[in-house]
Amino acid sequence: MYLTIPHNISKKYLYQDIFRKHMRRKIVGQGHNSKAVTLPISWIRENKLSAGDELEVESQGKSLILSAAKVTGPNKVVLDIKSKDMMFKRYLNSLYQFGYDEIEVRCEDELPLNLIESEAKEMIGCEIVSHTGKSCIIKSMATELSSEFDVMLKRMFLIIRMMFDEIVDEMQRKDCDKDKLQEIAGMEQINNRLVYFCQRVLNKKGYKEPSKTTFMAIILNELEQITDSLRDLSMLLSESRDMVSKDTVRACAKLSELFRDLYGQFYSFDTKRVGKMKRKRISLYSDCYKLLGKSKGNATDMLALHHILEGLGRIHHLNIGLVPMSLEGK
């Protein structure tokens, strides 16, 4: 998932917000029992602070986080759209993930309110609070808590596990339940809402362990891509008249098992499991490519194997990243 930014947002502002500024400061002695550090003047000016203002100080292990306690007003943005430009839905969602608390949507012709309402439902905690014929305001009605991130992330893992289990069950049946497969595909939208919310939390507050914020953003992206592959596989099976081979069903079951291993690694990392997962991955890659050679006459089989290989690649990317994260601080 890539962040799409409308043309009317300054690139300078974007770069300042996305890329964290790392600076070094020396500790200065101040009396017998106190120490002090100076604050960057650019940060002081950006937050409109002056001598005597209070700061929030939060200790997180080896990190000390300073936040401006002064309220500078809601975070607002205006989005200009055209009703026939369907990309506005992506712009809107990106602004939500970016952390804006109030989004005013303006349309030069008739406002596509139904489409905007549909998109707003994907934005956890936000509602349309007012609208006219050519504009509307979407406002955040809730405060995002950093503590909610881990809960939402675990729900994503569990939803993907459920999707895997139910897809394999349907593939093993002689007659797939088309409605059930479409229901499984619909779980992707549930996961998307969780991904968007968690991206918003990271952009607004960062992760509870600041050094892992970037990695958590990568995890969200990879989990969303895995969900997309499972959605596409479900829709393929629901719309196709052809059955997939038993070998392809077994390949999907092995992929499901690998994802369960990944889930175990994320919440309880084990170096011994790394080698086992690597051997399983290499074996599954080999099996899938051999099956592709045998499935030239069955388009459904070939496409199903393509989605399985997509998911396998995403799981591999996540597994690689878990190693340095798990060893941090040891």
Side-chain angles (χ1 to χ4, degrees), residues 89-107:
K89 293 191 290 184
R90 182 165 293 184
Y91 297 156
L92 192 59
N93 198 280
S94 296
L95 292 171
Y96 167 75
Q97 293 176 60
F98 202 57
Y100 286 102
D101 295 320
E102 185 173 310
I103 305 169
E104 182 179 356
V105 183
R106 296 175 182 172
C107 189

Side-chain angles (χ1 to χ4, degrees), residues 171-172 243-253 291 301:
M171 291 175 79
Q172 290 173 339
M243 295 283 292
V244 294
S245 68
K246 291 182 179 179
D247 287 333
T248 299
V249 176
R250 280 192 285 269
C252 191
L291 290 172
D301 228 27

Side-chain angles (χ1 to χ4, degrees), residues 4-107:
T4 307
I5 302 299
H7 65 277
N8 59 351
I9 295 180
S10 164
K11 288 184 178 180
K12 179 181 178 182
Y13 179 81
L14 171 63
Y15 295 150
Q16 286 178 344
D17 273 53
I18 288 182
F19 299 106
R20 294 178 178 272
K21 304 179 183 71
H22 294 276
M23 305 178 185
R24 286 184 178 273
R25 288 289 188 272
K26 287 187 177 181
I27 298 175
V28 179
Q30 195 173 45
H32 293 292
N33 300 317
S34 298
K35 306 294 180 184
V37 293
T38 58
L39 299 175
I41 189 62
S42 58
W43 186 78
I44 294 291
R45 289 171 178 166
E46 183 180 342
N47 290 280
K48 300 178 182 178
L49 298 171
S50 57
D53 288 337
E54 292 186 349
L55 297 177
E56 296 289 338
V57 182
E58 182 180 356
S59 176
Q60 293 186 359
K62 293 183 179 181
S63 299
L64 193 65
I65 300 175
L66 300 179
S67 303
K70 181 185 286 186
V71 177
T72 57
N75 196 5
K76 300 180 181 180
V77 68
V78 175
L79 174 63
D80 295 310
I81 67 170
K82 295 180 180 179
S83 61
K84 294 182 180 180
D85 181 8
M86 290 298 100
M87 286 298 292
F88 82 81
K89 293 191 290 184
R90 182 165 293 184
Y91 297 156
L92 192 59
N93 198 280
S94 296
L95 292 171
Y96 167 75
Q97 293 176 60
F98 202 57
Y100 286 102
D101 295 320
E102 185 173 310
I103 305 169
E104 182 179 356
V105 183
R106 296 175 182 172
C107 189

Side-chain angles (χ1 to χ4, degrees), residues 86-260:
M86 290 298 100
M87 286 298 292
F88 82 81
K89 293 191 290 184
R90 182 165 293 184
Y91 297 156
L92 192 59
N93 198 280
S94 296
L95 292 171
Y96 167 75
Q97 293 176 60
F98 202 57
Y100 286 102
D101 295 320
E102 185 173 310
I103 305 169
E104 182 179 356
V105 183
R106 296 175 182 172
C107 189
E108 63 181 28
D109 40 26
E110 186 177 355
L111 186 74
L113 187 60
N114 289 341
L115 294 176
I116 294 174
E117 286 177 339
S118 176
E119 196 63 26
K121 290 178 182 177
E122 303 299 312
M123 301 157 61
I124 295 175
C126 289
E127 294 181 12
I128 296 176
V129 295
S130 66
H131 64 85
T132 64
K134 292 191 175 183
S135 69
C136 70
I137 294 177
I138 301 171
K139 195 169 184 178
S140 173
M141 308 301 289
T143 301
E144 299 82 7
L145 300 176
S146 299
S147 58
E148 295 177 309
F149 182 93
D150 288 331
V151 176
M152 297 292 196
L153 182 61
K154 192 161 191 174
R155 282 186 64 189
M156 288 178 223
F157 272 107
L158 294 176
I159 287 173
I160 294 174
R161 279 179 48 175
M162 184 184 300
M163 291 179 75
F164 266 119
D165 291 344
E166 294 189 359
I167 288 173
V168 172
D169 286 345
E170 289 301 319
M171 291 175 79
Q172 290 173 339
R173 292 161 57 105
K174 290 184 178 180
D175 296 311
C176 292
D177 185 333
K178 307 295 185 182
D179 292 335
K180 180 63 177 178
L181 286 165
Q182 290 182 4
E183 182 182 316
I184 296 169
M187 293 182 188
E188 181 256 353
Q189 289 185 315
I190 299 173
N191 236 32
N192 280 352
R193 295 181 74 231
L194 300 177
V195 169
Y196 302 153
F197 176 82
C198 287
Q199 290 282 22
R200 179 176 173 85
V201 171
L202 290 182
N203 279 323
K204 293 190 75 173
K205 302 176 182 294
Y207 189 59
K208 62 184 180 183
E209 298 175 62
S211 63
K212 296 181 180 179
T213 296
T214 300
F215 181 71
M216 287 300 171
I218 294 172
I219 284 181
L220 294 175
N221 178 65
E222 296 295 343
L223 289 178
E224 188 193 19
Q225 296 297 327
I226 291 172
T227 312
D228 287 347
S229 294
L230 293 177
R231 174 204 60 200
D232 294 342
L233 178 56
S234 297
M235 292 306 298
L236 169 70
L237 296 172
S238 72
E239 296 170 358
S240 176
R241 296 179 181 179
D242 298 324
M243 295 283 292
V244 294
S245 68
K246 291 182 179 179
D247 287 333
T248 299
V249 176
R250 280 192 285 269
C252 191
K254 289 179 180 179
L255 183 65
S256 175
E257 182 182 332
L258 260 177
F259 186 80
R260 283 182 172 271

